[in-house]
Amino acid sequence: MAGTAVAAAPMVLASLTGEAAAQQAPVPATKVTPELADRIKTAIDGDGPRLVGIFKDIHQNPELGFMEMRTAKIVADELGTLGYEVTTGIGVTGVTGILRNGDGPVVMYRADMDANAVEENSGFDYASKVRVKREDGVEVPVAHMCGHDAHVTWMLGAAKAMAEAKDTWRGTLIFVGQPAEEPIMGAQAMVDDGLYSRHNMPKPDYLLALHTAPVPTGIAGARGGPVMAGTDQIDVTFFGIGGHGSTPQLAKDPVVMAAMAVAEYQIIISRVVPPLATAVLTVGSIQAGTDNNVIPESALLKLNLRFFSEDTRNLMIRGIKSINEGLARTYGMSDDKMPTMVMTGYSPQLVNDDALADRMLPTLKALLGDKAVVSEFPPATGSEDAHLLRGPHTEVPVSFTAVGVADPALFAEAIAQGKQVPFAAHNPEFKVDLNAIPLGAKIGALKILTLMAV
């Protein structure tokens, strides 16, 4: 069964192209020798139990975006103990650790720290039971259902391995514990808080990041070109006139306006955006009223957009505004009660540098095997903000790698049932295979050494 899973995973990643890594063009040589790779792998394997302990601890104590005080302290304490120059509180809870090791490239490695407002149903004995109140007073469950707990642990494992192998590399290494990736706000918050000015962060020559993927442990997706969609988070508020549920004619019902808007927004996708353009418009939350028999004064819709071009993005935003105002006019709202649109988070599509992707391939293949590294697959409609950490230095090349974290047996079972994957991100049953914890740290460390080894 495990063999079936490993065989099927590249097909899931390759999807529309169906091309395996073996069909790819030759790639440049790497300075990561077998001896150096073995040294790093041995060190991280020895650190494996500690890393699994860190992972379980972070998993049991998840924190939402800009609330990652405990997680940030773990990152700061670990990096500080290893001799990194640590700065905390960047963009509220962001953490950086810098290790200077002579002349050489400046490499930035980022891990996001925040969790999701999702109730976990993994069945693990270390499953999250955390609930918190948001700023709006709503209590929500919190769990790491996107793998950011693994991302942080991978970074800390790589940081330790790199600190202990300073004799093998030269340059300046920067680790970033980033807040609030889920609302697509954290990277920009760190930049806006003076990451490169007030906090004197050196300009990176390269930016690296990893992300969990629901394919078997031992599989990685690493390609050049577009890999993740752009995204917007938009809060739309419809205003009305409150009243009694028994006399709707004396009120103006914002719930009806919001409900109509949810349906009409999809017309933008089916009848406004060109059919060959990728566009997703999701309403993730509807919030209105408290009582059965009261028509409220307002209704809030929380929207999420995905796109691969700014033209498509602009079509969606204009369409949303037009629908909002048209509905409000239809229901007789005055100019001072037109719907509002608040853009709460934005990130353009994430594009991996082609040359940097090619440079990483030999290292990844040596670690995982030729067929386990997939570099031909369609970009995902998921989104990221890691690349916004470049701030004004938008020319800095990015290498963003998807790392399989599904237990191979679980993946094989899902394939046998006709599913594409055993779980999706943000799903209550998202499960990180513990064997993926040391492996992710190895991938992170060896990617760094690909750029810094001497």
Side-chain angles (χ1 to χ4, degrees):
M1 292 293 282
T4 302
V6 173
M11 296 305 296
V12 172
L13 282 172
S15 186
L16 297 178
T17 66
E19 295 188 27
Q23 297 172 329
Q24 293 147 9
V27 293
T30 174
K31 289 184 178 181
V32 180
T33 64
E35 293 76 19
L36 176 54
D38 285 344
R39 175 177 171 181
I40 295 300
K41 288 187 286 184
T42 299
I44 291 176
D45 282 336
D47 196 31
R50 184 186 74 94
L51 293 177
V52 169
I54 292 173
F55 167 76
K56 288 183 176 181
D57 179 52
I58 295 173
H59 187 87
Q60 282 187 302
N61 296 279
E63 298 166 299
L64 295 176
F66 295 124
M67 299 181 185
E68 311 97 335
M69 302 298 293
R70 186 180 187 278
T71 308
K73 186 176 188 304
I74 291 172
V75 172
D77 289 349
E78 288 287 329
L79 294 179
T81 299
L82 293 168
Y84 289 78
E85 304 167 23
V86 174
T87 303
T88 61
I90 308 175
V92 185
T93 50
V95 182
T96 62
I98 303 176
L99 191 59
R100 305 177 197 273
N101 192 26
D103 294 333
V106 179
V107 176
M108 178 180 283
Y109 180 109
R110 170 273 207 175
D112 39 6
M113 303 186 293
D114 58 324
N116 313 100
V118 176
E119 189 159 9
E120 182 170 358
N121 187 31
S122 66
F124 292 141
D125 59 5
Y126 54 89
S128 169
K129 296 179 176 60
V130 172
R131 300 185 71 88
V132 301
K133 277 192 176 181
R134 286 178 150 167
E135 290 182 0
D136 59 9
V138 177
E139 184 179 87
V140 296
V142 185
H144 274 292
M145 297 292 98
C146 200
H148 297 188
D149 46 354
H151 302 173
V152 172
T153 308
W154 291 342
M155 179 177 73
L156 296 178
K160 186 172 188 291
M162 292 299 295
E164 292 175 348
K166 286 180 66 175
D167 58 306
T168 70
W169 60 275
R170 294 291 180 270
T172 299
L173 178 55
I174 305 165
F175 285 108
V176 179
Q178 182 208 301
E181 184 277 335
E182 293 295 350
I184 307 293
M185 298 173 70
Q188 191 62 51
M190 292 186 75
V191 172
D192 290 345
D193 194 32
L195 181 65
Y196 293 104
S197 54
R198 189 163 68 91
H199 298 288
N200 299 311
M201 184 61 57
K203 175 197 167 191
D205 295 309
Y206 305 97
L207 173 61
L208 309 180
L210 307 181
H211 201 294
T212 58
V215 297
T217 300
I219 302 293
R223 56 160 285 174
V227 289
M228 302 286 272
T231 186
D232 276 294
Q233 308 271 66
I234 306 174
D235 287 355
V236 172
T237 302
F238 284 91
F239 300 98
I241 297 174
H244 200 290
S246 67
T247 55
Q249 75 278 12
L250 301 180
K252 301 288 186 183
D253 194 340
V255 176
V256 173
M257 298 180 221
M260 294 294 292
V262 171
E264 290 192 21
Y265 289 155
Q266 297 310 316
I267 297 173
I268 300 170
I269 306 302
S270 66
R271 289 297 180 267
V272 177
V273 174
L276 295 181
T278 299
V280 181
L281 194 165
T282 296
V283 179
S285 175
I286 304 174
Q287 301 174 19
T290 54
D291 294 322
N292 299 52
N293 62 346
V294 177
I295 294 172
E297 289 278 309
S298 64
L300 172 66
L301 300 179
K302 289 183 171 290
L303 280 61
N304 179 254
L305 312 185
R306 308 290 169 140
F307 47 84
F308 287 101
S309 79
E310 289 298 304
D311 287 344
T312 300
R313 177 195 183 219
N314 292 334
L315 279 176
M316 287 195 285
I317 291 173
R318 287 198 299 267
I320 292 165
K321 187 174 187 295
S322 179
I323 287 170
N324 294 348
E325 293 184 357
L327 284 166
R329 299 285 184 199
T330 298
Y331 287 93
M333 302 312 301
S334 58
D335 287 347
D336 63 331
K337 287 188 176 289
M338 284 294 102
T340 60
M341 289 176 59
V342 179
M343 316 294 283
T344 62
Y346 162 74
S347 180
Q349 68 172 331
L350 188 154
V351 180
N352 272 348
D353 182 79
D354 287 322
L356 185 54
D358 287 344
R359 192 170 171 186
M360 292 294 168
L361 279 177
T363 299
L364 293 174
K365 288 182 178 182
L367 175 65
L368 304 174
D370 285 357
K371 293 183 179 180
V373 182
V374 183
S375 62
E376 294 292 338
F377 53 92
T381 50
S383 300
E384 257 291 343
D385 68 349
H387 49 308
L388 294 183
L389 282 173
R390 297 177 297 180
H393 312 299
T394 54
E395 74 283 1
V396 172
V398 175
S399 174
F400 186 90
T401 302
V403 178
V405 296
D407 183 297
L410 187 65
F411 186 88
E413 181 181 345
I415 295 297
Q417 294 172 354
K419 300 177 182 178
Q420 285 191 321
V421 290
F423 50 78
H426 300 192
N427 182 277
E429 296 185 4
F430 188 93
K431 298 177 181 179
V432 174
D433 176 13
L434 294 182
N435 291 321
I437 297 304
L439 182 59
K442 294 174 191 175
I443 292 172
L446 291 173
K447 284 188 66 172
I448 294 166
L449 282 170
T450 300
L451 302 171
M452 306 185 83
V454 294

